[in-house]
Amino acid sequence: FLFEVYLERQNDLGDVVSDFQKFGRGSLTLNGFVVSEFVPQSRLSAFKKGNDKSPFSAAGFVQLMVPDTAGIDPARYLWEYKGRELLGDVRCWMFDLTPKEKTSYGSFIGRIYVSQSDLAVVRFDGTYTHDPKRISPYLHFVSSRLKTDPRSPWLPASVYVEERDLKRPIERTKRLRARVTFWGYQTS
């Protein structure tokens, strides 16, 4: 698959103070994600020397395409039914997921939407668990999937992130928005 990550940092008034855009290619393997960024010629020499100044990793945003790379099965998560929702023309069941292991930092915590027709996860929103004694390094996000054909699987289409009051400011910025778009899947 291919991806684009667009991120903007904002001042307290919501004005954009800096932004970046990264493109790349990724694949899922049994060991997780493999992500490679396409580096523009204008940044190539800085990138090779390790002087790429962005405090953000495209791979970290791409990871938000799945709630948990280890799986969200009932052996690892508590599932609490929250009702039904219509997402576009897709009837869904809503579940709140909480990891069973309280010390399992970096596990998904949030809501998933499961298609009633084929039991596939079509959307999820939340964040990841962290040590309550520390400020969370994780962002809140909404990840959506798309089904392009009745015979095709639901594939990650986009991720949206918005934080208006980061507890740990990034380069003195407490607000950010990001969008990740996925396309170009090889499904055969």
Side-chain angles (χ1 to χ4, degrees):
F1 63 90
L2 300 173
F3 67 85
E4 172 197 15
V5 176
Y6 175 75
L7 182 136
E8 56 187 32
R9 291 184 299 131
Q10 304 169 334
N11 64 19
D12 291 338
L13 300 174
D15 300 324
V16 175
V17 294
S18 72
D19 66 348
F20 81 80
Q21 184 176 29
K22 293 185 179 184
F23 292 89
R25 172 172 291 152
S27 62
L28 289 168
T29 68
L30 294 175
N31 297 324
F33 287 95
V34 175
V35 172
S36 59
E37 293 179 31
F38 301 141
V39 180
Q41 288 292 77
S42 61
R43 283 184 33 224
L44 192 57
S45 63
F47 187 82
K48 285 181 178 177
K49 294 177 186 172
N51 294 334
D52 191 26
K53 299 288 186 199
S54 174
F56 302 102
S57 161
F61 286 97
V62 170
Q63 179 204 340
L64 301 177
M65 74 186 326
V66 295
D68 189 330
T69 55
I72 54 172
D73 57 84
R76 299 185 64 238
Y77 282 90
L78 297 172
W79 290 59
E80 183 180 350
Y81 177 72
K82 291 303 209 180
R84 294 187 222 187
E85 180 87 19
L86 191 62
L87 297 178
D89 61 351
V90 180
R91 294 180 188 276
C92 296
W93 291 303
M94 296 183 302
F95 297 92
D96 283 353
L97 269 60
T98 308
K100 287 184 176 179
E101 295 289 325
K102 296 296 181 202
T103 58
S104 181
Y105 305 135
S107 297
F108 177 75
I109 184 166
R111 180 162 289 176
I112 65 166
Y113 298 78
V114 178
S115 167
Q116 291 180 7
S117 64
D118 57 9
L119 305 178
V121 174
V122 298
R123 176 183 156 157
F124 50 95
D125 52 70
T127 188
Y128 295 105
T129 57
H130 65 282
D131 183 343
K133 296 176 188 160
R134 297 177 177 229
I135 296 172
S136 175
Y138 300 113
L139 304 170
H140 294 86
F141 62 94
V142 177
S143 185
S144 301
R145 296 179 179 201
L146 183 64
K147 188 171 189 159
T148 57
D149 179 286
R151 296 176 309 274
S152 71
W154 287 89
L155 297 170
S158 66
V159 173
Y160 181 73
V161 175
E162 184 168 3
E163 294 287 347
R164 294 176 184 246
D165 187 24
L166 287 168
K167 303 301 181 216
R168 180 182 292 164
I170 300 167
E171 295 180 358
R172 299 180 307 279
T173 305
K174 296 180 82 174
R175 298 171 65 143
L176 69 84
R177 287 191 301 195
R179 180 193 70 236
V180 186
T181 308
F182 305 99
W183 73 95
Y185 291 98
Q186 307 229 342
T187 58
S188 55

